[in-house]
């Protein structure tokens, strides 16, 4: 859970270069919180587990979760750390550069694991990212599987993953850059096949404006993109993951869940900010004619 400071710039700065920005925005962010809000806006029943600092940003982030329909009772204030923060530059074509100060996010431990899996039921999905300590991710995945839940891991920011963790992951989501840090393959199809071979039941590589590709027991499949006018790609990956989690939790076939996720990711690039740009079901109906509702699921 981060507070995002987003600066639009005429071009992304090079090392040693100072660029005069155009406007500065402050938004709720953090991959976990973004994905929680994304899933809730798209009809999911979502509970967030995490930590914020004992500062002014913490209550703001918790209140934002609640306002977006996320159960935030699992978010704890940590008096020993600041709330996480991200500094984001956004270029004219929507490309971005991001640096993160983890703060309280880096202090999750076994107590948080217990809270995360306490209410999991069979078929529920535990969604995790790598903005929290690796020391909690593997045991949380093991505990979730033991409770009958499924594990969706968004392996971002990129880092090496233990084989034991990959064997506990039902769905692995990475972008092309992150995939290259995990497997030595040139094409997205080869990447996703290699990722599937090392453990996860479904391996997914997102391709930005080119859509996405996945591999499961039926083989490798490409999912075509939805065309939009992009102005900020900051929240696209999180919208994709949130939508994917909702689709899978509600029993959509993988291909349909992937198409739903592609639509959400594309829609999120049409507005500035991370959570501010996350779409609702009505947005996907308006932009793409999709008609999905999980409110009765």
């Amino acid at each position: 859970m981060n507070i995002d400071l987003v600066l639009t710039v005429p071009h992304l700065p090079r090392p040693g270069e100072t660029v005069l920005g155009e406007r500065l925005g402050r938004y709720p962010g953090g991959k976990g919180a973004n994905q929680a809000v994304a899933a809730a806006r798209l009809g999911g029943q979502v509970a967030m587990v995490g930590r914020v600092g004992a500062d002014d940003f913490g209550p703001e982030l918790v209140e934002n979760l609640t306002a977006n329909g996320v159960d935030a009772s699992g978010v704890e204030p940590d008096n020993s750390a600041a709330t996480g923060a991200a500094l984001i530059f956004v270029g004219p074509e929507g490309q971005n550069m991001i640096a993160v100060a983890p703060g309280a996010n880096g202090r999750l431990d076994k107590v948080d694991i217990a809270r995360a899996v306490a209410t999991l039921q069979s078929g529920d999905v535990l969604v995790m990212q790598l903005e929290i300590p690796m020391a909690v991710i593997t045991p949380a995945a093991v505990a979730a599987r033991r409770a009958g839940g499924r594990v969706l891991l968004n392996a971002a920011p990129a880092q090496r993953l233990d084989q034991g963790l990959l064997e506990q992951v039902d769905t692995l989501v990475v972008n092309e850059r992150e995939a290259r840090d995990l497997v030595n393959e040139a094409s997205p199809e080869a990447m996703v096949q290699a990722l599937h071979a090392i453990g996860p039941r479904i391996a997914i590589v997102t391709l930005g404006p080119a859509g996405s590709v996945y591999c499961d027991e039926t083989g490798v499949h490409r999912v075509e993109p939805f065309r939009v006018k992009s102005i900020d790609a900051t929240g696209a990956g999180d919208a994709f993951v949130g939508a994917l989690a909702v689709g899978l939790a509600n029993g959509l076939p993988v291909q349909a869940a992937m198409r739903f996720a592609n639509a959400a990711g594309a829609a999120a690039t049409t507005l500035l900010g991370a959570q501010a740009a996350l779409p609702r079901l009505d947005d996907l109906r308006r932009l793409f004619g999709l008609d999905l509702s999980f409110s009765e699921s």
Side-chain angles (χ1 to χ4, degrees):
M1 298 179 63
N2 296 329
I3 195 74
D4 287 353
L5 300 177
V6 181
L7 180 63
T8 58
V9 292
H11 65 269
L12 297 180
R14 296 179 291 272
E17 179 185 16
T18 298
V19 175
L20 292 179
E22 297 165 357
R23 55 187 174 188
L24 177 68
R26 186 174 109 184
Y27 308 97
K31 289 185 181 298
N34 292 347
Q35 292 169 15
V37 170
R41 288 187 179 180
L42 293 170
Q45 296 182 357
V46 187
M48 177 75 187
V49 172
R51 296 195 192 190
V52 293
D55 51 34
D56 292 341
F57 291 142
E60 178 181 336
L61 296 183
V62 172
E63 289 166 9
N64 178 72
L65 288 177
T66 302
N68 279 284
V70 176
D71 177 356
S73 60
V75 178
E76 293 288 333
D78 190 317
N79 294 325
S80 301
T83 298
L87 307 178
I88 304 170
F89 297 128
V90 180
E93 302 300 321
Q95 303 93 344
N96 59 48
M97 296 173 62
I98 304 174
V100 176
N105 297 302
R107 292 176 54 81
L108 269 67
D109 59 21
K110 62 183 180 181
V111 174
D112 301 288
I113 296 173
R115 289 190 292 114
V117 301
T119 60
L120 277 183
Q121 300 178 14
S122 179
D124 288 350
V125 179
L126 175 66
V127 182
M128 295 186 289
Q129 316 75 26
L130 302 187
E131 288 185 344
I132 59 176
M134 287 297 298
V136 305
I137 291 175
T138 298
V142 171
R145 293 288 299 278
R146 188 177 297 132
R150 289 172 285 174
V151 177
L152 192 166
L153 178 65
N154 176 210
Q159 56 184 289
R160 286 288 172 184
L161 302 179
D162 180 75
Q163 181 65 39
L165 169 60
L166 289 169
E167 292 172 354
Q168 297 296 323
V169 171
D170 294 282
T171 306
L172 176 70
V173 180
V174 291
N175 63 26
E176 282 186 274
R177 184 185 298 273
E178 293 152 359
R180 289 192 184 96
D181 287 337
L182 295 174
V183 293
N184 185 25
E185 299 290 348
S187 72
E189 287 80 7
M191 288 176 188
V192 78
Q193 192 167 27
L195 288 170
H196 180 256
I198 58 178
R201 290 144 191 81
I202 306 169
I204 298 167
V205 176
T206 60
L207 307 173
S212 57
V213 61
Y214 73 94
C215 182
D216 61 7
E217 72 279 0
T218 67
V220 176
H221 309 271
R222 184 176 282 264
V223 185
E224 294 302 314
F226 289 82
R227 302 297 179 186
V228 294
K229 182 178 180 180
S230 297
I231 63 171
D232 181 8
T234 303
D238 296 330
F240 180 97
V241 172
L244 181 69
V246 171
L248 295 175
N250 282 277
L252 285 184
V254 178
Q255 182 79 14
M258 289 287 295
R259 180 171 166 78
F260 182 46
N262 271 9
T269 71
T270 63
L271 296 171
L272 279 174
Q275 288 185 28
L278 296 173
R280 293 174 169 83
L281 287 172
D282 284 345
D283 297 315
L284 302 188
R285 294 187 186 103
R286 173 177 53 83
L287 288 169
F288 311 122
L290 291 187
D291 191 13
L292 291 167
S293 177
F294 304 110
S295 59
E296 303 301 322
S297 301

